Amino acid sequence: MLASFIFVTGGVMSSLGKGIAAASIGALLQDRGYSVRMKKLDPYINIDPGTMSPYKHGEVFVMGDGCEADLDFGHYERFTDIKCSANDSLTTGQVYKKVLSKERRGDYLGSDVQVIPHITDEIKKFIVDGHEKVDFTICEIGGTVGDIEGLPYIEAIRQLIIEIGKAKSVCVHLTYLPYMKLTEELKTKPTQHSVKQLQSMGVQPDIILCRSEKEINDEVKSKLSMFCNVKKDNVVSGLDAENIYLIPNRYHLAGLDRQICDHFGVLNSKSEDETEKRIVQRWVSLEHAILSPSKSTKIAIVGKYIKMKDAYISLSQAIIHGGFANDARVEVEWVDAREDFEKIISKLREVSGVLVPGGFDSAGAEGKIASIQFARENKIPFLGICLGLQLAVVELCRNVAGVKNATSREFSDDGEMVIDFMNNWEMNGVTESRSRSGNKGGTMRLGNYRCKIAEGTLVHKIYGASDVIERHRHRFEVNIKKYGDIFQKASIVFSGMSADGTLPEILELTDHPFFIATQAHPEFRSRPFAPHPLFRAFVKAAIGLRR
Ligand code: GLN
């Protein structure tokens, strides 16, 4: 058992793809036959990103255990197919919460509580926890080196590297090399500065991963090697890629996993062939599906966070996976649900599928409802996710069952609440209640829930199963207790119900080629090598649309 640690830090600027770099390292080590665990340290003070705006922070990824986490966990799970848990995600808010409750309990009686050692000890404990169960723990440090919030984390890894030794730890520093058109050269100075900053905090990076739009040449490598105190072979090219699934093989060809294994002294020429074979089988085989698929289709995502594409990252990845499964390129038409209806509908006339994603509050709700109506009446494949299901119920109640004031409690207290707070519902033996005044953080129906699927339905055929588990993140539910008759009048078929049979989970229409909506977030479970059945079927239906 190796039980080694790989720390991934970022320099120069944010959004360089540290999460994807960490995920790719994980995937490549798996291709080398090792087991890995992915962890992330997030320097913000929130307990989790659940209360942050998707506009600023991007999607909130939901793990199976219900942990609301940074979207990088989506990359980790998609690239490595590992199931991450709450024990893999740490924020400054959580660290302080732990330390402060210990202080109240009297665990530190007699001492003044300080960043070093109390905060850093807690961070170190988090990093090493469970390391013995895997060959490598890959730990990404969120933010950019130099951020005030990140200091205790860099200090914690500095201490850890001393404690566990260089032979058992490696620091991979991802930086950016801007390209100067005028002189046609990649500039190394920002990288030099960010490495100096890291060194000034006592951490010497071992590998520099250079994100850039042009391939780095030998001269750049030599320069960075000399000024950053890193072996020349450990200056690795991280060329921009047109699709994130091309990255693991690019990094492999640039020598990233080889240099990591070399650092740990586990480079084994005998197993190199096996590794190559696995990488070709997995990542290289995706290249055809990515670069030259035989079919194509266009799907609209009607949402309100569309200016921030990261807000729908798992969703767009699941659609791409659906494309892989159908040998198709799927173009996404981003439609702002808050635009005028005519504008929305004119965009929808150009697409072969309509997807209404998850979301919160009433902004854009009417535009989404109009989109659902358009997809239903024109027999365009429709997939509704979470809020998308709730709005489909509202649309069907209003326009098919004739209940014109049907709405969701999330938007108003006036009208027929076909979507409502879950009050005194039995869920897995626990009585659940939600209200407007309740706490907002971590109080939704979160994580894995079982769903029973009715035989003979389209959804049953798609899943090929009667029992599925999907991840959830929502506060409101379909009010079937009160409005069962109206739902029937609206021709809604609830093809999936919660395990105890009380809550609708999935709906479909029988007089439509593909009209499916789910209360869960199936996008979190889709993988490039195992596209989610609902997305595979949705993309297939979109490809098959004849007008
Ligand atoms: N806002 C809705 C709810 O809380 C839907 C949430 C979502 O789409 N994730 O129930």
Side-chain angles (χ1 to χ4, degrees):
M1 195 67 70
L2 292 161
S4 299
F5 293 84
I6 298 169
F7 299 109
V8 180
T9 57
V12 179
M13 62 188 200
S14 59
S15 305
L16 289 181
K18 239 181 319 115
I20 291 172
S24 300
I25 292 171
L28 290 171
L29 289 170
Q30 286 178 324
D31 288 331
R32 288 181 172 271
Y34 296 114
S35 60
V36 299
R37 179 162 174 179
M38 309 292 305
K39 295 194 181 190
K40 182 161 188 210
L41 310 171
D42 267 309
Y44 49 73
I45 294 168
N46 303 54
I47 296 289
D48 58 48
T51 52
M52 291 186 197
S53 162
Y55 277 126
K56 292 189 193 141
H57 197 73
E59 162 188 289
V60 175
F61 185 76
V62 182
M63 300 177 185
D65 66 359
C67 174
E68 296 174 278
D70 191 84
L71 61 82
D72 281 328
F73 280 95
H75 297 309
Y76 302 165
E77 289 206 356
R78 284 186 285 273
F79 278 59
T80 66
D81 202 23
I82 292 174
K83 287 191 177 53
C84 297
S85 77
N87 297 331
D88 299 318
S89 167
L90 188 72
T91 70
T92 298
Q94 288 172 28
V95 181
Y96 274 81
K97 200 172 169 211
K98 270 186 206 157
V99 169
L100 289 174
S101 72
K102 279 187 179 175
E103 185 273 336
R104 289 292 80 183
R105 221 171 39 217
D107 289 11
Y108 312 119
L109 276 188
S111 24
D112 41 349
V113 181
Q114 294 180 309
V115 173
I116 306 170
H118 301 100
I119 296 295
T120 47
D121 276 356
E122 213 56 57
I123 297 171
K124 288 193 290 182
K125 214 159 45 188
F126 166 84
I127 297 172
V128 298
D129 178 54
H131 74 283
E132 66 290 343
K133 295 191 192 114
V134 289
D135 297 324
F136 291 98
T137 295
I138 300 165
C139 182
E140 177 189 345
I141 293 96
T144 308
V145 166
D147 294 347
I148 289 182
E149 293 88 348
L151 296 178
Y153 295 97
I154 303 287
E155 168 59 17
I157 67 166
R158 183 195 69 77
Q159 294 174 19
L160 252 188
I161 292 169
I162 300 270
E163 287 163 26
I164 55 190
K166 264 284 178 198
K168 289 267 180 198
S169 59
V170 73
C171 174
V172 178
H173 187 56
L174 176 69
T175 70
Y176 180 62
L177 273 63
Y179 179 68
M180 278 279 288
K181 272 208 187 95
L182 208 64
T183 52
E184 296 185 345
E185 56 174 353
L186 288 168
K187 305 303 288 182
T188 63
K189 197 67 87 189
T191 297
Q192 292 180 40
H193 281 303
S194 91
V195 170
K196 282 220 169 66
Q197 205 154 17
L198 205 47
Q199 287 166 337
S200 74
M201 292 184 267
V203 175
Q204 168 63 51
D206 305 289
I207 294 176
I208 301 181
L209 185 54
C210 305
R211 174 88 191 260
S212 57
E213 62 177 281
K214 302 269 180 220
E215 192 81 52
I216 53 170
N217 59 24
D218 205 57
E219 198 186 325
V220 168
K221 279 194 180 192
S222 301
K223 203 166 173 184
L224 282 176
S225 164
M226 180 153 76
F227 286 106
C228 299
N229 194 29
V230 167
K231 280 203 299 197
K232 191 170 161 193
D233 284 344
N234 283 2
V235 179
V236 178
S237 171
L239 194 63
D240 291 353
E242 49 277 53
N243 182 295
I244 58 172
Y245 300 111
L246 298 174
I247 291 175
N249 189 41
R250 291 253 172 105
Y251 282 176
H252 171 66
L253 295 174
L256 181 60
D257 50 318
R258 191 185 56 235
Q259 291 313 115
I260 289 173
C261 290
D262 184 49
H263 175 96
F264 289 120
V266 293
L267 205 53
N268 177 352
S269 55
K270 268 195 253 148
S271 58
E272 283 303 285
D273 283 352
E274 272 305 303
T275 302
E276 287 308 322
K277 225 188 274 167
R278 264 194 293 261
I279 289 174
V280 168
Q281 252 167 27
R282 279 156 43 89
W283 303 104
V284 180
S285 76
L286 278 186
E287 284 179 11
H288 166 77
I290 294 168
L291 301 171
S292 47
S294 64
K295 293 166 237 161
S296 71
T297 190
K298 201 176 190 184
I299 284 172
I301 295 183
V302 188
K304 69 168 177 166
Y305 310 119
I306 58 155
K307 292 218 164 60
M308 170 67 165
K309 303 285 184 290
D310 271 358
Y312 299 112
I313 180 91
S314 290
L315 201 58
S316 27
Q317 292 306 314
I319 290 174
I320 291 174
H321 305 161
F324 291 168
N326 287 286
D327 191 22
R329 173 169 295 121
V330 188
E331 193 189 324
V332 172
E333 175 75 38
W334 297 94
V335 179
D336 189 339
R338 287 164 304 184
E339 294 214 86
D340 296 340
F341 287 3
E342 299 86 77
K343 236 182 180 166
I344 294 176
I345 300 300
S346 76
K347 284 189 175 164
L348 298 190
R349 284 189 209 288
E350 305 299 314
V351 301
S352 304
V354 175
L355 193 152
V356 175
F360 291 83
D361 79 51
S362 61
E366 293 303 325
K368 292 177 192 173
I369 290 171
S371 307
I372 296 168
Q373 184 178 5
F374 180 80
R376 179 174 58 77
E377 291 176 348
N378 293 281
K379 308 261 188 258
I380 300 169
F382 165 75
L383 183 60
I385 309 270
C386 205
L387 181 66
L389 170 133
Q390 298 174 358
L391 294 176
V393 170
V394 171
E395 192 278 318
L396 290 158
C397 288
R398 284 185 190 172
N399 302 323
V400 178
V403 183
K404 289 292 167 209
N405 62 348
T407 190
S408 162
R409 180 78 66 191
E410 188 171 14
F411 313 145
S412 156
D413 282 325
D414 280 335
E416 298 298 336
M417 298 300 147
V418 294
I419 306 296
D420 209 339
F421 280 120
M422 190 165 60
N423 270 326
N424 300 319
W425 297 78
E426 272 304 306
M427 230 18 237
N428 302 333
V430 183
T431 309
E432 298 264 4
S433 274
R434 308 270 193 275
S435 70
R436 228 180 263 298
S437 56
N439 262 5
K440 293 287 179 290
T443 55
M444 285 187 255
R445 180 143 86 97
L446 287 166
N448 279 345
Y449 282 89
R450 271 182 57 214
C451 162
K452 282 194 293 200
I453 298 179
E455 277 178 37
T457 59
L458 176 60
V459 169
H460 189 270
K461 202 168 139 207
I462 291 171
Y463 269 109
S466 306
D467 210 318
V468 297
I469 292 175
E470 293 287 1
R471 300 182 190 179
H472 289 246
R473 182 173 187 255
H474 58 104
R475 195 165 271 118
F476 299 89
E477 301 283 351
V478 177
N479 196 352
I480 196 162
K481 259 192 190 167
K482 188 163 174 197
Y483 295 104
D485 292 350
I486 290 177
F487 299 151
Q488 224 164 18
K489 203 169 153 206
S491 307
I492 300 174
V493 176
F494 288 114
S495 34
M497 294 293 289
S498 58
D500 64 358
T502 59
L503 295 173
E505 291 274 358
I506 309 178
L507 68 78
E508 65 183 62
L509 295 181
T510 45
D511 60 348
H512 191 286
F514 192 105
F515 190 104
I516 292 175
T518 166
Q519 187 61 81
H521 286 275
E523 69 272 27
F524 294 138
R525 283 208 311 119
S526 190
R527 307 282 176 261
F529 302 112
H532 192 285
L534 282 179
F535 286 90
R536 190 173 46 200
F538 178 49
V539 171
K540 188 172 176 200
I543 294 168
L545 180 72
R546 298 263 170 276
R547 290 203 226 225

